[in-house]
Amino acid sequence: GIVQDPGDYRWSSYGEAMGGGKKAIAGLAWIAGIPAHGGENRKLSPKAGLEAYRCALFGRAETRTDGVGGVVKRGAKPEQIRQVIAAKGRVPVEEYLRHRVRYFTDGAVIGSKAFLEEVFVKVKDRFGKNRQSGARRMRGVIEPLFSLRDLQRDLGG
């Protein structure tokens, strides 16, 4: 009940997994009963475990009331729960991007390649001496966006 969307609570394993943390994703996959390396069914991945965990989590995340208007437990809105269950726990690209980027927002720059190169020239001294360029393509998004940090490929590695 601390946040409406459990993925917004940055200091939980679920929030870490939504941000792309590989150990957190593997842990939630294990909790969901999906082995980290596929086990007997090699077609399953830690990402599938995160999706299963997400469905289970949202299945119990609804706000509860006492029947006379008082809130007993704060949680997700019914429409949000329906969307997660209907999507079988898969994360829409825009939500995935929001969770991924929030961990890098302190001092991060996102934009076109030309813009990132311009910024990089001004802050090059903050990077290692071997770094020659600033723009790093953000993979997994439809529009070509760039950042000064190399964001991971997608949820689950």
Side-chain angles (χ1 to χ4, degrees), residues 17 21-32 34-37 45-47 49-50 156:
K22 290 181 181 183
K23 287 183 180 180
I25 291 170
L28 296 181
W30 180 78
I31 290 169
I34 296 177
H37 300 291
S45 68
K47 184 177 177 182
L50 177 59

Side-chain angles (χ1 to χ4, degrees), residues 30-130:
W30 180 78
I31 290 169
I34 296 177
H37 300 291
E40 294 176 10
N41 186 349
R42 300 233 179 255
K43 292 180 181 179
L44 295 176
S45 68
K47 184 177 177 182
L50 177 59
E51 292 167 356
Y53 184 85
R54 184 172 159 80
C55 284
L57 182 63
F58 274 85
R60 297 186 305 250
E62 190 168 4
T63 298
R64 293 191 190 118
T65 62
D66 60 9
V68 291
V71 174
V72 175
K73 178 187 167 272
R74 290 185 299 163
K77 295 178 181 175
E79 179 57 30
Q80 184 182 19
I81 294 168
R82 281 192 291 279
Q83 288 174 351
V84 169
I85 302 302
K88 298 180 181 174
R90 289 183 211 98
V91 180
V93 172
E94 60 276 3
E95 184 178 347
Y96 161 70
L97 183 59
R98 180 177 64 87
H99 285 283
R100 289 289 308 163
V101 171
R102 75 169 181 205
Y103 286 96
F104 300 98
T105 56
D106 293 338
V109 180
I110 297 173
S112 70
K113 186 174 184 176
F115 175 70
L116 268 290
E117 293 302 338
E118 183 181 316
V119 170
F120 179 71
V121 168
K122 294 177 183 177
V123 297
K124 188 175 181 176
D125 61 314
R126 297 181 186 186
F127 292 89
K129 61 182 177 180
N130 294 329

Side-chain angles (χ1 to χ4, degrees), residues 7-33:
D8 289 338
Y9 187 64
R10 294 174 67 161
W11 297 275
S12 70
S13 56
Y14 178 73
E16 173 70 15
M18 288 297 294
K22 290 181 181 183
K23 287 183 180 180
I25 291 170
L28 296 181
W30 180 78
I31 290 169

